[in-house]
Amino acid sequence: MALLSSKEKYHTFNGLNCLVKGLEGRFTTIDLRNESFVTGKIEEVDGYMNLTMSKVIFTDQCGRCLEFDTFFVQNRIIRYVHIPVKLNVMDIIQTQLESNRRKAPEKKHTFKHKRALANQKESMRRVAEMKKASQTDKKD
């Protein structure tokens, strides 16, 4: 998988590019604007929805078929992307959006913050001791 630039990530996760990206590794049909279509396995989708496909059968307007090992489809000539019937579109989109979520890095505490936490723990320990002592005094 190629690394996406920040602009490509924006396009991928703020449009339906994530749906097409979710079809990577699957066989599907892409209708082109010139009335031809391409059927094959989607290998890679970039942030602008340019597709790289493998094991492709290209069918032109007249119905002639040509086979290609790899095929590149530029985003501006795509008319339709056929989603296989057995796939759930919402699941594909959810999976792609989840993969983009960043996990918040663990915060490293500064010396000042660590010292403040230690002082707070010590104060809480003293308060607990004072409560305990006052409870034993009341019992006597």
Side-chain angles (χ1 to χ4, degrees):
M1 182 178 143
L3 294 175
L4 299 177
S5 69
S6 60
K7 194 171 186 180
E8 286 178 301
K9 282 183 185 178
Y10 176 82
H11 288 299
T12 299
F13 298 109
N14 289 291
L16 287 177
N17 292 4
C18 64
L19 178 59
V20 179
K21 185 127 178 92
L23 295 175
E24 285 182 341
R26 299 183 190 272
F27 284 88
T28 191
T29 301
I30 309 292
D31 289 346
L32 307 177
R33 289 177 63 182
N34 63 356
E35 304 300 326
S36 57
F37 61 92
V38 180
T39 302
K41 182 178 181 182
I42 298 177
E43 293 295 330
E44 187 177 356
V45 179
D46 69 6
Y48 302 107
M49 210 165 71
N50 296 312
L51 307 172
T52 304
M53 301 176 75
S54 65
K55 301 175 188 168
V56 171
I57 298 174
F58 173 80
T59 307
D60 66 7
Q61 304 93 324
C62 301
R64 293 181 294 238
C65 295
L66 299 168
E67 290 186 28
F68 295 95
D69 291 332
T70 59
F71 196 83
F72 180 78
V73 182
Q74 194 172 12
N75 63 349
R76 64 185 180 87
I77 65 168
I78 295 173
R79 177 173 286 160
Y80 299 112
V81 177
H82 294 255
I83 310 293
V85 176
K86 54 189 166 188
L87 295 178
N88 185 345
V89 173
M90 288 307 294
D91 288 343
I92 294 171
I93 293 172
Q94 288 288 340
T95 303
Q96 288 299 309
L97 293 177
E98 288 292 326
S99 71
N100 186 41
R101 278 215 180 119
R102 294 185 207 159
K103 295 179 183 173
E106 290 184 24
K107 290 184 178 179
K108 291 187 177 181
H109 298 294
T110 62
F111 175 74
K112 185 177 179 180
H113 190 256
K114 288 179 188 177
R115 187 175 57 200
L117 286 175
N119 288 340
Q120 183 182 18
K121 284 182 184 178
E122 180 63 26
S123 297
M124 295 302 288
R125 186 185 62 78
R126 285 184 188 159
V127 168
E129 285 177 359
M130 288 172 41
K131 279 185 180 180
K132 198 178 212 183
S134 67
Q135 288 176 354
T136 55
D137 288 344
K138 287 181 183 178
K139 288 181 184 177
D140 293 337

